[in-house]
Amino acid sequence: MRYLSTIIIALFSSLLTEAQTYEIGLYGGGTNFIGDVGKSNYIAPNAPFIGGIAKWNRSPRHAFRASLVFANLEAADSESDDPRRQQRDYEFNSSFVEASLGIEYTFWDFDLHNSFTRPATPYLYTGFTYFYHDVFRLDTSEDELVNIGSEGNFAIPMVVGFKALVTNSIIVAAEIGARYTFTNNLDGSYLGDGESSSFGNINNNDWYMFTGLTVTYTFGRQPCYCGF
């Protein structure tokens, strides 16, 4: 019995020292476009996205994060509140792939290595994003947007969210994120080849939004936080 008690205590101590250093899971929700076509609402998801996400919790206050998602962007002037857009009646439907890498910073300590608490905290995320998307052009003869191919562009993600450890190894987070892109042509409003094929405000770049959830599984042993 003494040896059995020793083994049980040792196993229990081992479980307590287990830590969730890494996370891997699913990321999904809805997207919406902010540009020269469709609604002007900042948060109005109307198309789906799904992908994967991974994190390295480097300290209780920050984590390195990577994600890869497959998504659609849809916009239609007929759904806008602007009478001028309704009369113009342009629309597009674009598919794209996005890869993002950056750092996630928590407002409060998110210590996954404390076995006696279930941490929860708001957080911010930013970094660098590369996305490969459909390209559109205004066909002036038909007065409609047409798909003419695809290209890659960069964006800056700006994300705010809230996450919580809901079981010993599962974290659920809800977040809203804007992507400021380095292009003004997600909707075909400007190809840079003359005013005849341009419309809208050609001086503002396009944005798109992600509104969704992440569900991640945590694993790994407790790291040393003595360094960066």
Side-chain angles (χ1 to χ4, degrees):
M1 181 63 67
R2 183 180 62 183
Y3 293 122
L4 180 59
S5 300
T6 302
I7 292 173
I8 292 174
I9 293 173
L11 288 174
F12 185 70
S13 299
S14 176
L15 289 173
L16 289 181
T17 57
E18 283 288 326
Q20 294 81 21
T21 305
Y22 307 103
E23 298 177 45
I24 188 167
L26 296 176
Y27 182 27
T31 66
N32 66 278
F33 173 73
I34 305 170
D36 295 305
V37 175
K39 295 180 178 180
S40 57
N41 306 68
Y42 287 102
I43 304 173
N46 62 350
F49 76 88
I50 187 70
I53 188 169
K55 300 180 188 180
W56 174 25
N57 293 292
R58 192 63 185 86
S59 82
R61 297 301 294 270
H62 79 284
F64 298 111
R65 164 174 162 172
S67 62
L68 179 68
V69 301
F70 301 86
N72 283 351
L73 276 181
E74 298 179 4
D77 283 342
S78 60
E79 299 178 354
S80 173
D81 295 329
D82 187 338
R84 293 169 298 179
R85 292 194 180 190
Q86 292 176 2
Q87 183 178 12
R88 188 181 61 187
D89 201 26
Y90 293 157
E91 64 180 14
F92 73 91
N93 188 327
S94 174
S95 60
F96 69 99
V97 181
E98 181 201 85
S100 186
L101 181 66
I103 189 167
E104 187 177 285
Y105 177 80
T106 63
F107 285 71
W108 309 317
D109 280 358
F110 194 70
D111 189 356
L112 298 174
H113 312 121
N114 187 337
S115 302
F116 301 102
T117 63
R118 292 279 174 83
T121 180
Y123 63 88
L124 300 174
Y125 168 74
T126 190
F128 299 96
T129 290
Y130 178 81
F131 64 105
Y132 194 75
H133 60 94
D134 293 336
V135 177
F136 295 87
R137 180 191 182 98
L138 176 61
D139 184 335
T140 54
S141 61
E142 299 293 334
D143 196 29
E144 65 180 12
L145 299 173
V146 295
N147 190 325
I148 61 171
S150 55
E151 67 180 18
N153 273 292
F154 290 94
I156 298 175
M158 292 170 277
V159 177
V160 60
F162 185 88
K163 61 182 179 180
L165 182 68
V166 295
T167 73
N168 289 336
S169 57
I170 299 295
I171 297 173
V172 175
E175 65 177 41
I176 298 172
R179 270 64 169 175
Y180 171 75
T181 74
F182 292 97
T183 178
N184 188 26
N185 196 42
L186 288 181
D187 52 12
S189 63
Y190 183 64
L191 283 175
D193 60 351
E195 294 298 324
S196 61
S197 60
S198 301
F199 62 91
N201 188 343
I202 64 174
N203 297 313
N204 288 339
N205 286 350
D206 295 327
W207 296 67
Y208 62 92
M209 303 285 295
F210 280 173
T211 305
L213 297 173
T214 70
V215 180
T216 57
Y217 172 77
T218 66
F219 60 97
R221 290 185 175 274
Q222 182 171 354
C224 173
Y225 288 155
C226 54
F228 176 72

